[in-house]
Amino acid sequence: MDSSTSQNSETKLSYERKESTMQGLTTVPTSVTLSAEQFERLYLTPMTRHQPALAKQVGNPTPLALGGFVITTTPLSCCLMAWRGASGNGVALIGPIVFLGGLLLLITSILEFVLGNTFPCVVFGTIGGFWFAFAATMIPSFNAAAPYSSTANDTAAGLSGTGFLNTYAFLFITMAVLMLIFMICATRTNVVYTLIFLSLLIVFLLLSSAYWLLGEGNAATGDRCVKGAGASLFVASLLGFYLLIVQLFEALEFPFHLPVGDLGMLWTITPQK
């Protein structure tokens, strides 16, 4: 009986110790508070904490896409605004649009996919695809605009044909809807991203309006819309340059950080008590 009582006492004491340990574990805090600067940095760099080895090998691919974006949109915006007599709606920039815009954005999209960054992957992939499609439309060998010309084989004339203008405007409308979605998603990150997509939204809305006005023969108003689209695209390129600088400074570990405007507080969910 004494032995049985002793064993029961030891078992009870062991159970109480385990229960005390479990109660101590349940009081360990599990939430982490980030400062505004830490939150901005988290949204400016790829989510690579789960792939440290791979992240060290490929680095942050986002600046590559930003470089391709700004080096393409800046001259195109100047062309749309007709600065220094520029014209042709970007025909002279087919090479940069394909190899600096579309290609670099597509490569970055693939790298973002590998790193598990869904939003940058979709953004860079779709915009890069748009650059490829835009350039292909103006390349004669694709024969996209030539059927709209009077001779059915003149791409340059087809690009200004009524049927082509009225048809191609729908692509700009679709891109505007896409930029609206991106802009809403960007409000989860920071102000700079959001303003870039807002500027691009205005660009595509103005371009679609311009094409329909030009298709109706309203050249004066249509040209003003094209110049407005160029101005909005120029703003987007300047914001892209700023974000590129922020990214490169971050990559090189400069002793200061440029602000991008944290918008995380807009979507902060207050836990229910």
Side-chain angles (χ1 to χ4, degrees):
M1 293 294 293
D2 293 340
S3 176
S4 176
T5 303
S6 177
Q7 290 179 355
N8 291 337
S9 299
E10 291 179 358
T11 303
K12 182 178 180 181
L13 180 60
S14 176
Y15 176 78
E16 289 177 351
R17 287 177 179 176
K18 291 181 179 179
E19 184 178 14
S20 177
T21 303
M22 293 300 295
Q23 290 177 351
L25 289 176
T26 57
T27 60
V28 176
T30 58
S31 62
V32 178
T33 303
L34 297 178
S35 65
E37 179 182 354
Q38 290 174 327
F39 188 86
E40 287 183 359
R41 293 179 62 185
L42 185 64
Y43 272 95
L44 278 174
T45 55
M47 305 293 287
T48 55
R49 294 185 178 275
H50 297 294
Q51 311 97 351
L54 181 61
K56 291 180 180 179
Q57 294 177 11
V58 301
N60 180 4
T62 304
L64 178 64
L66 292 173
F69 175 78
V70 298
I71 205 170
T72 307
T73 56
T74 304
L76 181 59
S77 64
C78 295
C79 175
L80 294 177
M81 290 186 290
W83 284 2
R84 300 288 297 178
S87 61
N89 292 333
V91 175
L93 301 172
I94 291 178
I97 288 174
V98 172
F99 295 104
L100 295 177
L103 183 59
L104 293 185
L105 285 166
L106 181 60
I107 292 174
T108 306
S109 176
I110 296 173
L111 295 176
E112 296 284 8
F113 171 79
V114 172
L115 293 176
N117 300 325
T118 303
F119 182 56
C121 170
V122 175
V123 169
F124 298 144
T126 52
I127 295 179
F130 170 78
W131 280 134
F132 279 125
F134 184 72
T137 304
M138 296 183 291
I139 297 176
S141 59
F142 280 87
N143 201 36
Y148 293 96
S149 65
S150 58
T151 60
N153 58 10
D154 188 348
T155 298
L159 290 172
S160 58
T162 300
F164 173 82
L165 294 172
N166 290 332
T167 304
Y168 207 74
F170 287 105
L171 175 61
F172 294 139
I173 285 291
T174 308
M175 289 297 296
V177 174
L178 188 62
M179 293 305 109
L180 177 61
I181 296 173
F182 288 165
M183 184 185 70
I184 295 173
C185 294
T187 59
R188 187 67 178 85
T189 58
N190 56 67
V191 174
V192 179
Y193 272 128
T194 304
L195 291 179
I196 288 177
F197 292 121
L198 175 60
S199 301
L200 293 177
L201 170 62
I202 296 174
V203 169
F204 289 116
L205 288 176
L206 288 174
L207 284 178
S208 60
S209 300
Y211 272 47
W212 277 327
L213 288 168
L214 293 172
E216 294 175 353
N218 192 345
T221 307
D223 289 340
R224 284 196 294 267
C225 288
V226 171
K227 291 182 179 180
S232 185
L233 186 61
F234 187 73
V235 172
S237 68
L238 293 180
L239 292 170
F241 269 114
Y242 179 79
L243 198 57
L244 175 62
I245 294 171
V246 173
Q247 292 264 318
L248 293 179
F249 281 9
E250 178 70 20
L252 295 174
E253 299 182 351
F254 273 64
F256 57 88
H257 302 282
L258 298 175
V260 293
D262 172 32
L263 293 177
M265 71 288 296
L266 296 179
W267 298 98
T268 301
I269 301 176
T270 304
Q272 297 180 355
K273 295 182 180 180

